[in-house]
Amino acid sequence: MTLISVHEARERILSHFDPVETTQLPLAQAAGRVLAADIRAADDLPPFDNSSMDGFAVIAADLADAAANTPRTLRVVDDIPAGHAPAIEIKPGQAARIMTGAPLPAGADAVVPVEETDFNDRSPGTPLPEYVQIFKPPPVGANIRKQGSDVRAGQSMLTAGHMLRPQDVGMLAMLGVALAPVYRRPRIALLSSGDELIPVEAPLSPGKIRDANSYTLAALIEESGSDVIRLGVAADQRESVQALLDQAVEQRADLILSSAGVSVGAFDFVKDVVEAHGSLNFWRVNMRPGKPLTFGEYRGVRFIGLPGNPVSAFVGFTVFVRPALEKMSGRTPLDPPRVRVRLSEPIRSDGRESYLRAIVSKEGGALTARLTGHQGSGNLLSLVQANALLILRAGVKFLAPGEEVDAWMLE
Ligand code: AMP
Ligand code: MG
């Protein structure tokens, strides 16, 4: 099979993924989930005319010539706390004490804040005065939040594919959406492979390294809004690899994601096992790091095999897996935000599309990039220190200081 471009690999992968099924979730569990249907408002918001101040509901025309030295006196006929319907209609010469959020009584067309009256006592339990003096004429509509002034019943509010943020679930609550239509979370079976891998708890021993990819990739999967089925580490043997892949099938994973064991080493069995019981779509991409990236299907379950080197696994996830997870979870697959940056040092590559770890910072008004040390694909520290990946197009082997390049911001 030939080496394919990053673009083609992405297209091929994405064409094999569709959004998963939808479900209804109690609103309290809906934050962070992806909406599966457009939401229209069932009600006006606010649902009724109400006061935006503590004060007195009045008829504006009564107060046309109220002034500081010639206040108008109104008879106070009702007391309207928030949450209670007004008992009576306001007639000329009358007012009702009203609290913020309380419904405006019939007849009234303005609210005068307590500060503009002779009754500025707001301590709890203050009894209702018989009369109130007002020192300023309010415009019609003053301090009234009109029904429907924020949202009209029938108005389109949120669209399918949107990930619900805290403010969105608050809005759904305002609209009475107790059960939110959302996509279920995709289930990703994750395995590492390699005889050299030991658990994080184990002390180092000759030839062994700790399994880092399980942690990086599980965190990336969860950050993308999917659930992880942790399958652990497969040994470098056919049977061991196959046993874990079979577990993924049994657990009805939407995608099997593995790292390592997909290059051309004598012990790289993962690709062989997938091919023996399924099929390979491609297994090498013209990129650096991350060339031995494999895509196919194992016993009917889609399979992506990332390279084993920790930086390659991260880059492969970012370029190919995250968009697939986004598509599965009902969102539009988007790349990380791209910016143009100026190089502060020369960079070299081998002509493959390259993703280089860098720090981008603002220097003299321009975004400037410098690499975070050597670009070996096992050097995870250089990724830990980076806040961006510089993207060199295929064919580019050298860029001089001062030249510009695209970068993906990682944070
Ligand atoms: P492989 O693709 O199996 O040849 O692995 C490539 C490199 O990645 C080797 O140096 C492995 O030891 C390393 N590697 C593979 N899996 C992991 C892992 N889960 N965590 C850290 N390093 C790994
Ligand atoms: Mg290996």
Side-chain angles (χ1 to χ4, degrees), residues 283-305:
W283 73 277
R284 287 189 320 156
V285 181
N286 187 29
M287 69 188 291
R288 194 178 83 116
K291 180 162 127 185
L293 191 126
T294 307
F295 175 52
E297 149 273 314
Y298 177 83
R299 294 177 55 201
V301 181
R302 285 158 298 202
F303 170 88
I304 298 179

Side-chain angles (χ1 to χ4, degrees), residues 35-103:
L35 260 185
D38 295 347
I39 302 290
R40 284 183 182 280
D43 308 302
D44 285 340
L45 293 180
F48 49 86
D49 292 354
N50 70 93
S51 177
S52 67
M53 301 283 262
D54 293 337
F56 289 85
V58 300
I59 299 168
D62 278 349
L63 302 168
D65 31 58
N69 47 0
T70 54
R72 287 275 142 189
T73 301
L74 299 174
R75 220 170 106 76
V76 181
V77 297
D78 197 5
D79 196 12
I80 315 169
H84 296 268
I88 49 179
E89 182 177 338
I90 304 301
K91 301 267 165 47
Q94 298 182 342
R97 182 166 70 169
I98 192 167
M99 299 297 132
T100 304

Side-chain angles (χ1 to χ4, degrees), residues 354-400:
S354 301
Y355 292 80
L356 305 178
R357 292 136 260 164
I359 291 179
V360 168
S361 59
K362 213 156 199 169
E363 273 168 37
L367 289 176
T368 305
R370 64 182 168 80
L371 299 180
T372 54
H374 86 80
Q375 299 288 310
S377 53
N379 180 14
L380 193 56
L381 178 62
S382 66
L383 181 59
V384 166
Q385 292 173 334
N387 66 359
L389 292 175
L390 307 185
I391 307 171
L392 268 62
R393 278 176 291 116
V396 176
K397 292 194 171 167
F398 177 77
L399 288 172

Side-chain angles (χ1 to χ4, degrees), residues 165-179:
R165 302 164 300 170
Q167 58 269 46
D168 302 323
V169 291
M171 177 54 74
L172 294 181
M174 277 191 170
L175 296 171
V177 181
L179 286 177

Side-chain angles (χ1 to χ4, degrees), residues 20-32:
V20 295
E21 311 87 74
T22 65
T23 176
Q24 304 260 340
L25 265 194
L27 189 56
Q29 296 163 26

